[in-house]
Amino acid sequence: MLKRSNSILLILALTVLLVLCACGQSATSNTATESNTSTAEQTSDSASTAEQATSDEGETVTYQSDAGEVQVPKTPNRIVDLTSFTTGYFVALDVPVVGALSGAMGNKYIKDQLTSQGTTDLGELPTAEQLVSLKPDLIIAYTGTEGLDQLSQIAPVVQIEYGKLNYKDLMLELGKLTNREDAAKAWITNWEAQINELKPKVQAAVGDRTVSILNPYAKGLYVFGHNYGRGGEILYGEFGFKAPAKAQTEAIDSGTGFASISMEVLPEYTGDIIFTSPWSGDTSDASVVYSNTLWENLPAVKAGHVFQLDNTSDTYNDPITLEGQLKFISDSLLSVK
């Protein structure tokens, strides 16, 4: 529900791909009986063999993905990411991403890097033609998405289970996948140094006050925890702040990372400090919440301890996005009186 589903887009893409393959097979069959095409066929076969040889120049290794073993390039250089949420990891690892979904392309923390490396915006419904034309040597997708077996006709597919690993472990795993383990370890070392420097300062500013992450949506509000982006990894994970008791139990201690609540129970889930943004998953009007007297009378709102997240970018929790969030969150918490 809370992550993007790629099933439809892949089914559409694969449908086109299979049609193209069928047409190609039919054309070959029709021309095979024509003697004057034998030279052309030999030329085509030679070109195909040469292209395959070129694509196989690099060494391959066996990688254990979340859906089983897969043979992948030892050092992939043309990744297509169909998840959005892992794109920033590849940017942090300096791995070329030749195609990414619009969500990742619009993430303010990584969009300049993607643009500068010439990454193609695949939209939210990429077609088979787009994927084939990019000539990827590796495709990243979520586990359980329909049609992934057919995608392997284009390039090896590594499936990732959303939320299975925390961001540090996923960074190490993707470093292993891309033969950039040293870069992954270096990022973690640098990140932890930043946290160690900032943590005592923000803890002193916040004290024992509680912190909430709230997103208005069509049916009420989402209360987010420690592993769904929006700064949760930093606030609850790295800095060790607590949410109000009910939010702590339902969204964090439960391991789910979020809870859905109605407007009527909002005060029970609201901390002394609030990070919030409109929900990007529907077309609801956030002012229904923000203009409600219940919201306006919250102690955090009256005290000016409400900080607006960017709903187009702060939903992500990749390394580059986390670095941007760290500055915003630290500056916000240090401003609390």
Side-chain angles (χ1 to χ4, degrees):
M1 176 183 65
L2 295 175
K3 67 172 184 173
R4 291 176 173 83
S5 172
N6 294 323
S7 299
I8 295 177
L9 64 91
L10 289 179
I11 291 171
L12 290 174
L14 291 169
T15 298
V16 176
L17 178 61
L18 292 174
V19 169
L20 291 174
C21 290
C23 290
Q25 291 171 354
S26 175
T28 300
S29 177
N30 289 337
T31 58
T33 59
E34 299 177 14
S35 60
N36 63 351
T37 63
S38 61
T39 300
E41 287 178 349
Q42 292 171 0
T43 301
S44 176
D45 289 343
S46 298
S48 176
T49 301
E51 182 176 349
Q52 183 64 39
T54 299
S55 66
D56 290 342
E57 282 180 354
E59 181 182 351
T60 62
V61 296
T62 300
Y63 177 74
Q64 182 65 46
S65 76
D66 288 334
E69 291 185 347
V70 57
Q71 288 294 122
V72 301
K74 182 176 181 180
T75 306
N77 288 302
R78 296 187 63 81
I79 291 179
V80 164
D81 182 17
L82 300 178
T83 72
S84 282
F85 288 93
T86 55
T87 307
Y89 287 87
F90 299 121
V91 173
L93 291 166
D94 197 25
V95 180
V97 178
V98 295
L101 299 183
S102 290
M105 296 297 295
N107 180 350
K108 69 180 182 182
Y109 299 110
I110 62 173
K111 66 180 181 180
D112 289 343
Q113 296 95 316
L114 293 174
T115 299
S116 67
Q117 67 179 238
T119 304
T120 296
D121 187 339
L122 296 172
E124 294 301 337
L125 295 172
T127 65
E129 292 95 332
Q130 286 177 301
L131 301 181
V132 171
S133 69
L134 291 175
K135 299 180 180 179
D137 57 9
L138 185 64
I139 297 173
I140 309 297
Y142 283 127
T143 57
T145 305
E146 296 179 30
L148 285 175
D149 288 343
Q150 288 84 353
L151 266 183
S152 63
Q153 297 177 32
I154 301 174
V157 179
V158 167
Q159 299 181 49
I160 295 175
E161 181 180 339
Y162 182 85
K164 179 179 179 180
L165 299 177
N166 65 47
Y167 67 92
K168 290 181 185 178
D169 288 342
L170 184 55
M171 182 63 160
L172 291 172
E173 193 62 30
L174 294 179
K176 176 182 176 182
L177 170 64
T178 58
N179 197 24
R180 287 167 170 79
E181 291 178 89
D182 288 344
K185 292 175 182 177
W187 182 86
I188 291 173
T189 298
N190 181 65
W191 171 257
E192 290 178 344
Q194 293 181 67
I195 294 297
N196 291 336
E197 179 182 354
L198 288 168
K199 187 173 182 176
K201 299 176 184 177
V202 296
Q203 285 184 334
V206 174
D208 60 359
R209 285 178 282 197
T210 56
V211 181
S212 292
I213 303 173
L214 303 170
N215 274 180
Y217 82 115
K219 297 181 181 179
L221 297 97
Y222 281 122
V223 180
F224 285 101
H226 60 303
N227 61 356
Y228 260 91
R230 302 163 179 84
E233 289 79 5
I234 298 171
L235 290 166
Y236 303 124
E238 299 293 2
F239 289 161
F241 294 124
K242 295 292 184 181
K246 284 196 173 183
Q248 183 74 32
T249 298
E250 296 177 26
I252 301 175
D253 296 342
S254 66
T256 59
F258 71 95
S260 176
I261 64 171
S262 65
M263 190 70 185
E264 290 73 21
V265 298
L266 173 61
E268 300 175 45
Y269 291 80
T270 302
D272 303 302
I273 300 168
I274 298 172
F275 286 86
T276 187
S277 72
W279 172 244
S280 58
D282 58 39
T283 58
S284 58
D285 183 0
S287 67
V288 172
V289 171
Y290 294 147
S291 297
N292 189 290
T293 55
L294 196 60
W295 175 273
E296 292 174 340
N297 287 322
L298 292 172
V301 175
K302 289 185 173 182
H305 295 163
V306 177
F307 303 100
Q308 281 286 335
L309 298 165
D310 185 332
N311 67 339
T312 67
S313 304
D314 285 324
T315 56
Y316 298 93
N317 53 9
D318 61 81
I320 305 298
T321 298
L322 286 171
E323 289 176 349
Q325 290 175 352
L326 181 61
K327 175 172 173 50
F328 172 72
I329 288 172
S330 298
D331 289 348
S332 298
L333 295 176
L334 291 173
S335 73
V336 171
K337 305 299 183 183

